[in-house]
Amino acid sequence: MSIASTLICPSDKVYATIIKKTSSWAGEESFTVSANGAVSYTSPTLVNYRERTLEVCLPATTNNVYTLTMKDRSNDSWSDGAWIEIKDINDHTVLKYIMTDKGEETVDFSLYSPINKNAEWKFSNSFQ
């Protein structure tokens, strides 16, 4: 399902949609997104049995690479049925993940796209 973006990011930021699905024990779950080792986004308080869509502007990095850190305060993993999905400006899913490690788990992802939605580009079949 496509999500209509309402957030416009400045030129030094990169747009992302984060969809977080919770099950039971959502109050124990949280996540952050880091850019170049610094936390750029921290999840809001999560509610049981909800699917929440969050739009964010992250600082631009080399190749728009970021680290997702998933946490569980009870030092176990997220509840069965809980997951997180990250989409880029073009509404492409770049990551869909289920936390299985105990306490904390990290995974890298990239929001890099050579041509973004509504970007200007040219095509030619001649060599110059």
Side-chain angles (χ1 to χ4, degrees):
M1 179 172 105
S2 178
I3 298 168
S5 170
T6 57
L7 181 64
I8 306 296
C9 296
S11 61
D12 63 336
K13 304 280 185 180
V14 176
Y15 174 87
T17 301
I18 301 172
I19 304 166
K20 176 64 176 96
K21 171 73 170 101
T22 59
S23 186
S24 56
W25 306 104
E28 297 176 359
E29 300 174 3
S30 65
F31 66 90
T32 60
V33 177
S34 299
N36 295 324
V39 172
S40 302
Y41 181 80
T42 301
S43 62
T45 302
L46 302 170
V47 179
N48 288 350
Y49 301 101
R50 295 269 171 91
E51 186 174 309
R52 188 165 184 185
T53 300
L54 308 158
E55 292 184 291
V56 299
C57 292
L58 301 170
T61 68
T62 303
N63 294 324
N64 295 332
V65 174
Y66 303 91
T67 301
L68 171 68
T69 302
M70 299 159 283
K71 298 178 183 178
D72 187 281
R73 278 192 326 215
S74 290
N75 209 29
D76 53 10
S77 62
W78 287 353
S79 299
D80 288 343
W83 49 263
I84 191 165
E85 180 176 7
I86 301 175
K87 295 184 172 204
D88 67 9
I89 187 70
N90 301 310
D91 201 33
H92 298 140
T93 299
V94 298
L95 177 73
K96 190 162 187 178
Y97 210 83
I98 299 168
M99 181 183 178
T100 58
D101 287 354
K102 295 183 181 215
E104 185 174 299
E105 187 170 352
T106 62
V107 62
D108 293 334
F109 66 96
S110 177
L111 293 169
Y112 176 77
S113 177
I115 302 172
N116 287 326
K117 178 174 66 174
N118 300 323
E120 184 177 317
W121 61 280
K122 296 177 184 180
F123 173 81
S124 173
N125 60 0
S126 64
F127 297 100
Q128 297 180 5

